[in-house]
């Protein structure tokens, strides 16, 4: 039974959020989602999941949810807001069980309201299942039509619910759980890293390309207890030990008997999203047997080799530009400083600044250090530019703080194509590098010079097979073909369902 304890924000609040988001959105790709799962009988799985989601908060700040399994009974709580806003002690006390599935969301398919919050819980002939999804399907319309033909009851506008309903449909046709899940996954195309809970156990799944990450950890105890998470930082926070990644096209099944592995797809080809490497994932998360902080420092060193500029100081845009700025400083010999201070407590707010405040240059997130910048030629390092809107404002603020020259360096190539695999990007005509040359972008930003890291440099510094990454945002070479209808709108389902 699911406890009905979700709340919705008002339409006026949603309108305010959308207005603020449009004006304050950063010049970078928006977040993916964070998933978490745990199988740990006799442990407080709800609290373990809470802290795991807390560590994954950077991956999505729109909504959060946890479903726990107490035998056949499912307890669910999900709401709009940050993890710390959605849960408290009493709510966690009402989520007993030995299995938990958690999710923190940024909307990529389906709009931002509580009905689309996850985990998605659906009823099957074997009981309820709870699914948390990171990624995007590219055959959503086709899958939706198939489900509607079978009279499936769609209650959200997300592709995530459709995956859960596809599993339920296969189960209701007589398949066993693992067989039903695998049959459903073969009906899905695109990016999906999944954590799926049931009364029997919890499974972790990645699509054949492994576009979004998913890792396995172990908790101390006998027998071994297992954890699934989008990143290793979510293991660290609860004292779990990193075991390994879930491989592309793999399903891991965790029960009282332990962990079993099934290669559900025989056409796997690793294509991890390169944005995970240099921006999305936390710098303390481990990928390819090293922290991403180390990789991001190498990007900065490579950037200094490719695009040196004569300046007095170098600094990064907090937080994602800092490792590259340190690496740039090491190679260039230009002193690294903190030139910008980030307000780390700025989250989503329902309070709009007045128009007068906007015109006077309200700075909610970043503030320049005037005594550091005054009279200096500066190099500012960021990880990417998507639209160019906030970057232009930021450059202006550096000049106002007294910088005599501003040189911008970007530790990735120009973003020229939207993502359809679980990242919220604008249409192509809204991506500044799709419509302007580097020189034109520099003029738009009003910087003294602008340079991007080369595509080759970005991939070579991974120290991995350069063909094992998806870099479609920079090349337009999508590893999974994208239907033309999907390209038109991330809210393609809204009109069809309302």
């Amino acid at each position: 039974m699911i406890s009905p304890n979700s709340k919705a924000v008002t339409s006026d609040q949603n309108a305010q959020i959308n207005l603020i988001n449009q004006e304050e959105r950063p010049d970078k790709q928006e977040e993916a989602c964070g998933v978490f799962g745990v199988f740990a009988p006799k442990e407080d799985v709800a609290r373990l999941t809470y802290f795991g989601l807390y560590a994954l908060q950077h991956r999505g700040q729109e909504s959060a949810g946890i479903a726990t399994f107490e035998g056949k009974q499912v307890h669910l709580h999900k709401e709009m807001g940050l993890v710390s806003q959605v849960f408290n002690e009493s709510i966690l006390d009402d989520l007993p069980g030995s299995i938990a599935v958690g999710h923190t969301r940024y909307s990529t398919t389906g709009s931002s309201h509580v009905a689309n919050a996850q985990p998605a819980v659906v009823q099957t002939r074997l009981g309820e299942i709870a699914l948390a999804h990171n990624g995007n399907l590219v055959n959503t319309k086709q899958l939706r039509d198939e489900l509607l033909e079978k009279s499936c009851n769609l209650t959200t506008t997300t592709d995530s619910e459709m995956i859960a309903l596809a599993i339920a449909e296969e189960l209701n046709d007589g398949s066993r759980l693992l067989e039903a899940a695998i049959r459903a996954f073969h009906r899905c195309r695109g990016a999906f890293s999944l954590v799926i809970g049931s009364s029997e156990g919890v499974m972790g799944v990645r699509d054949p390309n492994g576009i979004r990450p998913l890792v396995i950890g172990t908790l101390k105890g006998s027998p071994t207890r297992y954890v699934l998470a989008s990143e290793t930082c979510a293991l660290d926070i609860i004292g779990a030990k990193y075991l390994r990644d879930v491989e592309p096209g793999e399903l891991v099944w965790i029960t009282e008997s332990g962990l079993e592995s099934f290669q559900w797809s025989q056409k796997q080809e690793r294509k991890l999203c390169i944005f995970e490497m240099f921006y999305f994932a936390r710098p303390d998360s481990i990928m390819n047997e090293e922290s991403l902080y180390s990789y991001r420092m190498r990007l900065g060193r490579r950037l200094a080799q490719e695009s040196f500029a004569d300046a007095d100081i170098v600094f990064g845009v907090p937080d994602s530009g800092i490792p590259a700025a340190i690496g740039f400083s090491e190679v260039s010999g230009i002193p690294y400083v903190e030139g910008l201070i980030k307000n780390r407590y700025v989250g989503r707010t329902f309070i709009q600044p007045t128009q007068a405040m906007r015109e006077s240059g309200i700075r909610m997130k970043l503030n320049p250090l005037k005594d550091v910048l005054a009279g200096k030629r500066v190099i500012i390092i960021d990880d990417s530019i998507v639209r160019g809107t906030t970057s232009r404002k930021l450059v202006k603020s550096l000049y106002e703080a007294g910088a005599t020259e501003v040189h911008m360096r970007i530790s990735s190539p120009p973003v020229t194509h939207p993502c359809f695999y679980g990242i919220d990007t604008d249409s192509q005509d809204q991506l500044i590098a799709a419509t302007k040359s580097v020189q034109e972008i520099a003029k738009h930003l009003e910087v003294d010079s602008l340079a991007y890291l080369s595509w080759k440099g970005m991939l070579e510094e991974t120290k991995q097979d350069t063909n094992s990454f998806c870099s479609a945002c920079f090349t337009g070479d999508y590893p999974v073909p994208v239907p033309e209808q999907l390209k038109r709108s991330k809210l393609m389902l809204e009109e069809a369902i309302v």
Side-chain angles (χ1 to χ4, degrees):
M1 179 178 180
I2 301 173
S3 51
N5 47 6
S6 297
K7 299 176 183 177
V9 297
T10 68
S11 59
D12 286 345
Q13 288 174 330
N14 265 328
Q16 288 182 336
I17 292 173
N18 291 335
L19 177 60
I20 292 169
N21 286 347
Q22 289 301 316
E23 296 192 5
E24 299 296 330
R25 288 173 72 183
D27 283 341
K28 37 186 103 261
Q29 309 278 50
E30 301 286 0
E31 294 88 336
C33 296
V35 300
F36 190 89
V38 58
F39 181 92
K42 299 182 180 180
E43 297 285 345
D44 191 341
V45 294
R47 276 178 175 74
L48 290 172
T49 304
Y50 169 85
F51 286 110
L53 295 180
Y54 194 87
L56 296 172
Q57 186 72 87
H58 59 288
R59 299 185 67 86
Q61 297 89 45
E62 289 188 358
S63 64
I66 297 174
T68 62
F69 289 79
E70 184 185 24
K72 293 279 188 182
Q73 186 174 10
V74 179
H75 304 273
L76 172 67
H77 183 86
K78 55 183 180 179
E79 289 184 12
M80 304 301 293
L82 303 176
V83 175
S84 60
Q85 297 168 329
V86 170
F87 297 99
N88 57 37
E89 290 285 347
S90 63
I91 290 171
L92 293 174
D93 287 339
D94 289 336
L95 297 173
S98 59
I99 295 169
V101 173
H103 190 267
T104 182
R105 182 174 191 257
Y106 186 90
S107 60
T108 51
T109 294
S111 61
S112 176
H113 54 73
V114 72
N116 288 335
Q118 295 185 38
V121 176
V122 300
Q123 182 69 50
T124 78
R125 69 177 178 86
L126 298 180
E128 290 162 317
I129 61 172
L131 178 145
H133 174 207
N134 177 22
N136 255 22
L137 301 186
V138 298
N139 67 327
T140 305
K141 175 79 166 56
Q142 175 188 339
L143 184 57
R144 176 181 176 275
D145 290 344
E146 291 174 3
L147 293 170
L148 288 177
E149 284 181 8
K150 296 292 184 69
S151 299
C152 290
N153 182 27
L154 301 178
T155 61
T156 77
T157 58
T158 70
D159 52 355
S160 308
E161 182 196 31
M162 293 177 198
I163 302 173
L165 287 171
I167 297 172
E169 181 191 336
E170 299 289 349
L171 273 170
N172 294 339
D173 285 344
S175 298
R176 298 170 65 182
L177 180 57
L178 290 184
E179 179 187 5
I182 290 172
R183 285 178 180 271
F185 302 150
H186 280 293
R187 298 167 63 182
C188 301
R189 295 199 307 273
F192 50 97
S193 285
L194 306 170
V195 174
I196 304 170
S198 73
S199 60
E200 298 179 46
V202 62
M203 68 178 77
V205 184
R206 286 178 84 189
D207 65 77
N209 296 116
I211 295 173
R212 297 282 152 231
L214 189 64
V215 300
I216 310 168
T218 57
L219 289 166
K220 292 180 181 179
S222 181
T224 301
R225 308 312 195 189
Y226 290 94
V227 180
L228 297 164
S230 292
E231 298 178 34
T232 62
C233 64
L235 307 179
D236 297 336
I237 196 173
I238 60 170
K241 182 179 180 182
Y242 169 71
L243 180 63
R244 65 175 178 87
D245 287 9
V246 177
E247 294 299 321
E250 183 185 16
L251 181 158
V252 294
W253 177 231
I254 302 165
T255 64
E256 280 284 6
S257 301
L259 185 148
E260 297 179 88
S261 171
F262 303 89
Q263 197 66 44
W264 69 268
S265 171
Q266 302 306 314
K267 298 180 180 180
Q268 63 270 20
E269 181 184 8
R270 185 178 187 266
K271 290 289 183 181
L272 177 68
C273 171
I274 193 66
F275 252 93
E276 295 280 359
M277 295 285 290
F278 70 79
Y279 172 58
F280 285 129
R282 263 179 37 175
D284 53 331
S285 285
I286 303 297
M287 289 188 183
N288 303 319
E289 300 182 348
E290 69 170 351
S291 73
L292 292 176
Y293 183 87
S294 298
Y295 169 63
R296 293 167 188 178
M297 283 189 66
R298 288 201 300 274
L299 294 181
R301 296 185 188 116
R302 182 70 171 253
L303 186 59
Q305 294 168 354
E306 293 183 359
S307 305
F308 176 81
D310 190 16
D312 302 309
I313 56 175
V314 58
F315 56 92
V317 176
D319 289 314
S320 54
I322 289 176
I326 294 172
F328 191 103
S329 174
E330 288 181 356
V331 168
S332 67
I334 298 170
Y336 169 80
V337 301
E338 285 196 40
L340 293 165
I341 298 300
K342 180 180 180 180
N343 180 356
R344 303 180 192 281
Y345 302 96
V346 172
R348 295 184 179 273
T349 175
F350 295 140
I351 307 302
Q352 284 184 251
T354 65
Q355 183 61 30
M357 292 171 71
R358 294 182 193 281
E359 291 174 355
S360 67
I362 181 172
R363 297 178 187 133
M364 293 181 67
K365 295 182 179 179
L366 296 172
N367 201 32
L369 285 168
K370 295 180 180 179
D371 57 339
V372 173
L373 303 175
K376 298 291 198 302
R377 300 170 300 162
V378 308
I379 299 174
I380 181 171
I381 310 287
D382 205 353
D383 58 83
S384 59
I385 301 175
V386 174
R387 290 167 291 276
T389 50
T390 57
S391 293
R392 180 183 170 110
K393 293 177 183 178
L394 182 57
V395 169
K396 181 180 179 182
S397 74
L398 299 180
Y399 282 120
E400 290 174 347
T404 58
E405 294 179 12
V406 177
H407 303 272
M408 181 168 275
R409 296 294 181 265
I410 306 299
S411 59
S412 67
V415 177
T416 54
H417 292 75
C419 175
F420 300 98
Y421 304 137
I423 301 171
D424 181 29
T425 53
D426 291 297
S427 57
Q428 191 169 21
D429 62 353
Q430 296 298 311
L431 303 175
I432 192 169
T435 59
K436 297 181 186 295
S437 67
V438 174
Q439 292 75 20
E440 288 171 333
I441 297 171
K443 183 177 180 180
H444 173 78
L445 300 181
E446 299 183 344
V447 292
D448 290 278
S449 72
L450 170 67
Y452 291 81
L453 183 66
S454 67
W455 177 76
K456 178 181 179 182
M458 174 187 67
L459 292 174
E460 285 184 349
E461 292 303 329
T462 65
K463 307 301 183 186
Q464 303 291 312
D465 179 359
T466 57
N467 293 316
S468 65
F469 295 94
C470 174
S471 58
C473 293
F474 310 111
T475 66
D477 183 13
Y478 296 101
V480 183
V482 181
E484 196 61 37
Q485 185 176 14
L486 178 58
K487 293 180 180 180
R488 288 197 286 269
S489 172
K490 81 164 188 170
L491 300 179
M492 57 175 289
L493 304 178
E494 304 294 327
E495 182 179 350
I497 291 180
V498 172

